[in-house]
Amino acid sequence: MATIAEPVLSFTRLPHPAPVADEVREGILAAPGFGTQFTDHMVVIEWTEGKGWHDATLGPRGPIPLDPAASVLHYAQEIFEGLKAYKHADGSIALFRPQANAQRFNASATRLAMPELPEDVFVEAVRQLVLADQSWIPGQEGASLYLRPFMIATEPFLGVRSAKQYKFIVIASPAGNYFKSGAPAVSIWVSEYTRAAPGGTGAAKCGGNYAASLVPTAEAFARGHDQVLFLDAAEHKWVEELGGMNLFFAFEDGSLLTPPLSGTILPGITRASLIELAREEGLTIREERYSIDQWREDAASGKLLETFACGTAAVVTPVGRVASPDGTSFTIGSGGPGQTTAKLKDRLVAIQRGQMPDTHGWVMKIA
């Protein structure tokens, strides 16, 4: 089990004048959806050049005052993370691998020329918010409290350089299932657009990467698909990732393949966890390039048994069908969940929810 380090900053608690009424909150938690409802509080920490991180507060969630010349609005210095808090059967509350999120957050900050946040401060900020809003954690199966830490450049100036002022903020949202279709497996659309190129920001979790995915994602939705698939920028043949999820491919020989982290793919924490769990299941893991043509061929021959996507929001989601702009499509296996996908998902979820021993030190109990 992970432990909590002593933070280098102290947090000031600001009173909330009007938290959401209990009956209203309970109505929201009965059907939380995803990303549309928010808890009562937020954490804010300031950074100023020459002073560093200061003024850490936990207070009422509300609008962020920004100067019209704030750097984030003009030069897009913005990064974020996503992680979840879970309510265990014994009444305890836990986070899953928050230190890994803190590390990835700082890698994104470095790429976007933003200040790094001490990992213990990141974790403590998340912990403070979860404890303040623990009544917002849904109790039903599959639900959780989704946490969104982010950083924006707030210095008012017009000029292309890194800013001298930033805000780190954490907000929270009760969350149900990410995909709304309810289908046993998702259908994906192969995009002609490019998400990221070598030397770009593909490995950073920044808003620009997701903004670039909105048009192709809308195209996928318009054609009746659940998600969009991006291929590499150079040859447009190698599978990279979905709009916000990594991909795995399970073969009849007992091997599991996932595209390598080459700088254009986000290093998913769920991805890393599944690789470890798959090895423990005796599966051979290959981090290798995989072409869309080979994917189609392996699905047709039966060599490929399963494909699944993974991420914090979607957890582990089977991929059943793939369609391309040239009018072709193919189905993976039976078009539904497979045994490997189900086994890995069940193990991961059981660890996250305290239903299975955590032998990796991934779970951090905070209450």
Side-chain angles (χ1 to χ4, degrees):
M1 184 176 296
T3 57
I4 302 171
E6 187 68 28
V8 298
L9 280 179
S10 60
F11 287 72
T12 299
R13 177 73 179 261
L14 305 177
H16 198 308
V20 172
D22 291 350
E23 61 271 19
V24 175
R25 183 182 65 251
E26 292 306 314
I28 292 171
L29 295 182
F34 191 92
T36 59
Q37 303 290 338
F38 299 93
T39 66
D40 291 309
H41 296 88
M42 68 180 186
V43 168
V44 180
I45 310 176
E46 305 283 348
W47 187 92
T48 306
E49 187 178 60
K51 189 175 181 179
W53 292 103
H54 59 94
D55 293 342
T57 61
L58 169 69
R61 179 183 174 275
I64 306 167
L66 277 181
D67 189 286
S71 177
V72 65
L73 303 176
H74 303 272
Y75 307 110
Q77 275 192 292
E78 180 272 349
I79 59 173
F80 65 97
E81 271 299 323
L83 65 160
K84 290 177 176 178
Y86 304 89
K87 187 175 291 183
H88 289 181
D90 62 2
S92 62
I93 298 170
L95 303 172
F96 183 73
R97 306 193 71 177
Q99 300 98 330
N101 289 97
Q103 292 165 7
R104 188 173 66 181
F105 188 78
N106 282 336
S108 297
T110 298
R111 181 61 184 87
L112 273 291
M114 303 171 80
E116 291 190 10
L117 180 73
E119 291 178 19
D120 59 332
V121 175
F122 179 101
V123 173
E124 180 64 12
V126 169
R127 189 184 78 89
Q128 291 263 355
L129 182 59
V130 173
L131 292 179
D133 286 335
Q134 58 185 286
S135 60
W136 283 89
I137 304 176
Q140 63 265 47
E141 183 179 353
S144 58
L145 185 65
Y146 183 80
L147 302 157
R148 173 52 59 87
F150 64 100
M151 191 198 321
I152 59 173
T154 55
E155 182 193 0
F157 82 99
L158 299 178
V160 184
R161 62 162 171 79
S162 56
K164 298 179 180 181
Q165 296 171 0
Y166 298 86
K167 285 183 186 292
F168 170 77
I169 302 170
V170 190
I171 57 175
S173 173
N177 291 329
Y178 183 75
F179 289 108
K180 302 177 180 63
S181 67
V186 296
S187 173
I188 60 178
W189 172 255
V190 181
S191 179
E192 296 179 304
Y193 286 88
T194 296
R195 175 189 173 272
T201 59
K205 200 165 177 65
C206 61
N209 293 341
Y210 295 82
S213 74
L214 297 180
V215 166
T217 299
E219 288 185 352
F221 291 168
R223 288 168 171 78
H225 303 285
D226 302 290
Q227 256 293 335
V228 62
L229 169 72
F230 291 105
L231 304 177
D232 72 294
E235 300 178 77
H236 208 66
K237 64 180 283 189
W238 302 105
V239 173
E240 294 215 320
E241 65 177 50
L242 302 189
M245 287 158 277
N246 298 119
L247 280 169
F248 281 84
F249 306 88
F251 296 89
E252 61 180 356
D253 65 359
S255 67
L256 199 64
L257 182 149
T258 189
L261 301 178
S262 56
T264 57
I265 295 174
L266 187 72
I269 293 163
T270 305
R271 174 188 182 276
S273 304
L274 289 171
I275 287 174
E276 288 197 43
L277 295 178
R279 287 190 175 124
E280 292 175 1
E281 291 289 336
L283 298 174
T284 300
I285 307 300
R286 295 183 285 139
E287 295 185 65
E288 300 173 0
R289 295 205 297 176
Y290 193 53
S291 72
I292 183 67
D293 291 338
Q294 191 65 53
W295 187 3
R296 183 183 295 107
E297 181 180 321
D298 290 345
S301 69
K303 179 180 178 181
L304 175 72
L305 302 180
E306 306 167 45
T307 299
F308 60 87
C310 67
T312 297
V315 193
V316 177
T317 301
V319 175
R321 179 171 171 263
V322 181
S324 300
D326 62 6
T328 63
S329 66
F330 61 93
T331 300
I332 300 100
S334 64
Q339 291 184 350
T340 299
T341 303
K343 181 182 291 186
L344 290 176
K345 179 179 181 178
D346 288 347
R347 277 201 66 189
L348 177 66
V349 171
I351 293 171
Q352 290 173 333
R353 298 191 175 277
Q355 299 160 349
M356 178 180 288
D358 171 28
T359 60
H360 303 85
W362 289 342
V363 175
M364 177 181 286
K365 289 201 175 185
I366 60 173

